[in-house]
Amino acid sequence: MGRPTAKLAKTCLSGMWTLASRYGASAGNIIKLLAPIQVDDKPVVAWSLTEVQRIRSGLRSDKLAVANGIADLVDILLATGCRIGETMAFKWKHLDLDPNKPTVLVEGTVVRIRGGGMIIQPHPKGGPNGKRRLLLPEWAVERLTARRDLVPHEPEDLVFPSQRGTLRDPRNARKQLQRALDRIGVTGIPQNPHAARKTVGTHLAEDADGGQSDIGVAAAQLGNTEAVTRRHYVQRTHQGPDARNRFAAFALPDERDGTAAISRT
């Protein structure tokens, strides 16, 4: 049992004992006597812009990655910040590529049910509130349009199906991505689809001053709260915002007009 699981179990047990105490079935909440469970936060690691360019161009030059759709898949992950399961659930009816502002509707995700089968859950991982319509960048529209025009399809057909035309297993897609990145020599960085989501979150959180005050933009794109986005999807840059003008109130009168003298001892 890992620490996060242990912490969750402790929370559940504490709730049970609190309820038991309330109805007189227990003299108190013994769970509160246990030592705290410390869960170490792992640092968020996103792809740099240089790595993004290398990955995209490398996958485009890899015939297998193009043939099995991994190249297109990574492009859409980077164009939306969606989870791999959400992307696997995309049907052509969710894409509106022809208007002036092309979009994709995120309203489901692929999940595995008991017994080993897969279905499209009728809402994203975060629940019904995670449904969102995202604007697509021009380069992604070009990729999706080319994919749409490549083979005949119906609105209910999957954008990224398996070779048999069925739901594609996200686990297989992860393995295919890792093998593709190995083939093009991209190693030493996270090789999973979730790294693309963290890359989008990190990039969108950056403001014009090089800080990360645009966390709300990243959260809206990813379909998370700002707290979750900041904790799990934004790589810290350790650079503060450009707030120099706000320090003007601290200046002495002679410092405000530029006549301050330099004192030496």
Side-chain angles (χ1 to χ4, degrees):
M1 178 185 294
R3 289 188 180 184
T5 304
K7 188 172 183 179
L8 176 61
K10 182 182 176 184
T11 301
C12 294
L13 288 171
S14 180
M16 293 168 58
W17 247 272
T18 298
L19 186 63
S21 300
R22 186 179 304 163
Y23 288 97
S26 173
N29 189 340
I30 63 172
I31 302 301
K32 292 185 178 181
L33 301 177
L34 300 177
I37 299 174
Q38 300 296 331
V39 179
D40 297 330
D41 287 337
K42 296 182 179 179
V44 175
V45 180
W47 295 334
S48 68
L49 294 182
T50 300
E51 289 165 345
V52 168
Q53 295 292 322
R54 185 182 175 194
I55 289 170
R56 291 197 62 221
S57 62
L59 292 179
R60 284 287 147 203
S61 65
D62 186 88
K63 292 183 179 180
L64 181 55
V66 172
N68 63 18
I70 289 298
D72 282 345
L73 175 61
V74 170
D75 279 350
I76 304 312
L77 290 174
L78 286 168
T80 62
C82 287
R83 301 176 179 89
I84 183 67
E86 293 171 340
T87 309
M88 296 291 94
F90 285 162
K91 296 181 179 181
W92 287 107
K93 68 178 183 180
H94 295 131
L95 294 170
D96 196 2
L97 302 178
D98 299 319
N100 292 332
K101 293 183 177 181
T103 63
V104 60
L105 175 63
V106 186
E107 64 172 357
T109 188
V110 173
V111 296
R112 185 171 295 277
I113 59 176
R114 188 182 299 274
M118 292 185 302
I119 63 169
I120 294 180
Q121 179 177 275
H123 57 76
K125 180 181 177 181
N129 289 334
K131 293 185 179 181
R132 58 206 185 278
R133 185 176 294 277
L134 303 175
L135 292 166
L136 294 168
E138 184 176 350
W139 57 264
V141 174
E142 293 177 359
R143 296 298 185 191
L144 286 167
T145 301
R147 187 175 184 85
R148 180 188 64 182
D149 297 341
L150 187 62
V151 293
H153 64 273
E154 298 295 332
E156 289 292 334
D157 289 343
L158 295 164
V159 178
F160 297 103
S162 68
Q163 291 183 343
R164 295 178 295 175
T166 58
L167 280 177
R168 191 169 187 169
D169 192 335
R171 296 183 303 184
N172 292 340
R174 292 187 185 96
K175 294 177 182 177
Q176 290 175 320
L177 173 58
Q178 183 175 4
R179 289 194 290 265
L181 293 179
D182 284 339
R183 287 196 303 272
I184 64 175
V186 176
T187 58
I189 62 172
Q191 293 182 314
N192 56 76
H194 220 53
R197 182 170 169 83
K198 295 174 183 179
T199 302
V200 171
T202 299
H203 184 63
L204 294 186
E206 294 177 355
D207 54 43
D209 296 325
Q212 294 182 322
S213 64
D214 287 345
I215 195 72
V217 176
Q221 182 78 21
L222 301 184
N224 285 123
T225 64
E226 291 189 15
V228 169
T229 300
R230 186 183 301 278
R231 181 175 182 182
H232 297 289
Y233 295 109
V234 176
Q235 179 174 304
R236 300 295 176 87
T237 62
H238 303 290
Q239 178 170 327
D242 187 353
R244 291 173 295 176
N245 61 321
R246 301 191 184 186
F247 289 95
F250 298 167
L252 297 173
D254 59 343
E255 292 173 329
R256 294 171 190 167
D257 58 17
T259 61
I262 299 177
S263 62
R264 290 184 174 89
T265 58

